Amino acid sequence: MKDLLGVVGAVARNRALAAVMVAYAVFSATQNAVWIAMLVYAYDRGGAGTAGAVAVAQLLPAALLAPVAAAVADRRSPVGVLVGGYLIQVAGMLTTALAIAVEAPLAAYAGAVVASAAVATTRPAQTPWSRGWSTTPRSSRPSTPSRAGSRALAWSPPAPPPESCSPWPGRGWYSR
């Protein structure tokens, strides 16, 4: 419990990190709400089969795009990838909302697929972008979070993996 309070206290003292954590929590809640709402909408329009097809249609492009987005976020500006991903998500969600308003289910599903696929760009971009939030020197950062810290920050942006897990031999995650 002491570790948990220490983590919460450290986040609370870092205003920039606290603001990002709140924003990320809102982003995650919104993402999950849109996902659930789209599946409920699809179920209402065509039953379990339609809802299942829409779920697969949202997951498959995101799964295929995630490795590409991660490579782009690592090689280019993660902030640019993040902003671009957010803009595409907004466009997909607006398309979905407008299509639902005019009762065009196929357009609503297409917008949801675009928004869902765009999430695959934001997740990998958040990791390298978030490295600068820590005020702890790199040499003293633990290689793995404490158990309490992991539970406290379960909804936080993903932490970068250890350098030994770099997908490019000889090039660590922190070698910028």
Side-chain angles (χ1 to χ4, degrees):
M1 186 64 160
K2 185 178 178 183
D3 287 341
L4 176 64
L5 293 176
V7 169
V8 171
V11 170
R13 286 186 298 276
N14 185 333
R15 294 178 62 86
L17 181 57
V20 168
M21 297 291 281
V22 169
Y24 186 78
V26 171
F27 162 76
S28 293
T30 304
Q31 174 191 354
N32 291 331
V34 168
W35 175 265
I36 292 167
M38 183 48 54
L39 294 182
V40 169
Y41 176 79
Y43 182 83
D44 186 51
R45 293 290 179 261
T50 302
V54 169
V56 169
Q58 288 183 84
L59 288 173
L60 193 57
L64 295 174
L65 182 60
V68 175
V72 170
D74 193 51
R75 294 188 185 332
R76 301 212 184 268
S77 166
V79 174
V81 174
L82 189 62
V83 169
Y86 283 151
L87 291 174
I88 294 168
Q89 285 179 53
V90 167
M93 289 181 191
L94 284 175
T95 300
T96 301
L98 291 172
I100 289 172
V102 299
E103 297 185 22
L106 293 178
Y109 304 149
V113 168
V114 168
S116 179
V119 169
T121 65
T122 57
R123 299 275 185 196
Q126 288 166 339
T127 299
W129 185 59
S130 65
R131 289 185 195 138
W133 300 336
S134 174
T135 56
T136 305
R138 287 187 179 149
S139 61
S140 63
R141 290 182 195 166
S143 60
T144 58
S146 70
R147 218 169 147 198
S150 296
R151 287 192 305 266
L153 300 177
W155 52 272
S156 69
E163 289 196 43
S164 61
C165 295
S166 175
W168 296 281
R171 181 168 183 238
W173 289 93
Y174 295 109
S175 61
R176 291 211 186 261

